[in-house]
Amino acid sequence: VRGTKITAALEIYVKKFFEWICVKSSDIIIVDNQVLFDYVKKKYNVVSILAEYGGDHAIKIPASLNLIEKYPFLNGDFDLTISRAQEDMNIHLVLETYKDIPERTLVVVSNWDTSKYGINLKEKYLNNYSNIVLLDAIYDLQVLNAIRGNCCIYLHTHSLCGTAPSLVEAMFMKLPVICFDVSTNRATTEEKADYFKDVNSLKNILRGLTSEKIWILSENMSEIAHRRYTWKKVVSVYKNYIN
């Protein structure tokens, strides 16, 4: 155990050392989240450039009959989360929550077979709960947009991101968003999403959802996205600061 703690501490030290080198040796520091901007300013007294992401390429499209035949859940109400199969994505929390809320259908898209974490979750939940659908990673944007665009709730589970492109895309698609509760996700959504830290808090959010609440989440996410997360704005930031 002691050796493990020493190794972990050394790893943190090395990461911080390289962070210091990067900040001190760079002409321009670009960050993608206000939380990171504040961190660089406070720790290194360096004013960085805040360049987030565009989401206006993500377009809602209707599900075709062929797609509904392939993915029958598209013919009903479902909640959705999309992320890589790694522990900091917190897929396990969402799955553990929905197994106890059978009245809501959950669809999870992930690259299950690329990690022990994903393999274990797939083995535990695949075909074992009638309201939980596990799909392998989807790289066809038309199919992905049809699935995203027709969900009732989008769950953003990432905990170690700055401004996550997938979150920005969901916001631009006017999806009601529930986020894992970390400061970067709160900054991206301007404190106007719903936030969960564990199974109990997510259960409380889901059980407290009303049509009015869903509408408010949807409107807030869309307003923020159209104001902040367009590629025109992102390009403008880079044009102004990088020659």
Side-chain angles (χ1 to χ4, degrees):
V1 174
R2 184 183 176 188
T4 302
K5 288 182 178 179
I6 292 173
T7 301
L10 181 60
E11 183 179 343
I12 292 172
Y13 173 80
V14 171
K15 287 180 178 179
K16 291 295 182 182
F17 175 68
F18 280 108
E19 176 184 280
W20 180 86
I21 290 177
C22 288
V23 172
K24 293 300 182 180
S25 63
S26 299
D27 297 316
I28 298 174
I29 306 296
I30 301 173
V31 297
D32 68 355
N33 190 279
Q34 185 65 46
V35 172
L36 302 179
F37 180 95
D38 295 339
Y39 168 78
V40 172
K41 179 68 170 68
K42 181 178 180 179
K43 186 171 181 63
Y44 299 103
N45 197 30
V46 172
V47 177
S48 56
I49 296 168
L50 178 61
E52 295 164 316
Y53 298 103
D56 42 340
H57 60 283
I59 302 170
K60 279 188 176 184
I61 59 175
S64 66
L65 292 177
N66 288 339
L67 209 55
I68 293 173
E69 186 176 352
K70 184 176 181 180
Y71 301 116
F73 61 82
L74 285 169
N75 215 20
D77 295 335
F78 66 96
D79 302 337
L80 176 69
T81 186
I82 303 172
S83 65
R84 297 183 300 279
Q86 54 195 59
E87 195 159 358
D88 61 280
M89 297 294 175
N90 299 294
I91 304 173
H92 57 288
L93 295 181
V94 178
L95 289 168
E96 187 67 16
T97 300
Y98 274 79
K99 76 178 181 61
D100 294 331
I101 307 181
E103 65 273 19
R104 299 193 72 92
T105 296
L106 172 69
V107 176
V108 187
V109 182
S110 188
N111 54 344
W112 304 102
D113 298 326
T114 62
S115 67
K116 185 176 180 180
Y117 172 78
I119 291 169
N120 289 341
L121 287 179
K122 190 174 183 180
E123 182 179 328
K124 181 176 180 180
Y125 290 97
L126 182 63
N127 300 324
N128 289 330
Y129 298 91
S130 60
N131 67 317
I132 294 177
V133 180
L134 305 187
L135 300 180
D136 289 329
I138 297 171
Y139 299 103
D140 185 322
L141 193 58
Q142 288 289 103
V143 175
L144 198 60
N145 282 347
I147 293 175
R148 288 193 293 186
N150 287 281
C151 72
C152 296
I153 295 291
Y154 186 81
L155 297 118
H156 179 72
T157 61
H158 306 191
S159 61
L160 295 179
C161 290
T163 295
S166 59
L167 174 55
V168 168
E169 291 167 1
M171 293 169 68
F172 212 94
M173 295 178 84
K174 205 174 182 179
L175 302 180
V177 171
I178 299 172
C179 288
F180 188 77
D181 194 357
V182 289
S183 57
T184 48
N185 288 340
R186 284 183 175 270
T188 302
T189 56
E190 297 184 356
E191 306 272 354
K192 292 180 180 177
D194 271 349
Y195 307 93
F196 70 98
K197 285 180 179 273
D198 51 31
V199 170
N200 286 335
S201 56
L202 182 54
K203 283 182 180 179
N204 289 337
I205 290 170
L206 293 172
R207 287 171 173 158
L209 286 175
T210 62
S211 56
E212 181 182 9
K213 176 63 175 176
I214 290 172
W215 181 83
I216 291 172
L217 286 172
S218 173
E219 291 294 317
N220 284 341
M221 295 303 100
S222 177
E223 188 280 323
I224 295 167
H226 282 80
R227 172 164 43 85
R228 287 175 56 180
Y229 304 127
T230 65
W231 284 114
K232 182 178 181 180
K233 182 170 183 177
V234 174
V235 169
S236 177
V237 171
Y238 280 95
K239 283 177 65 176
N240 287 339
Y241 289 99
I242 299 178
N243 297 320

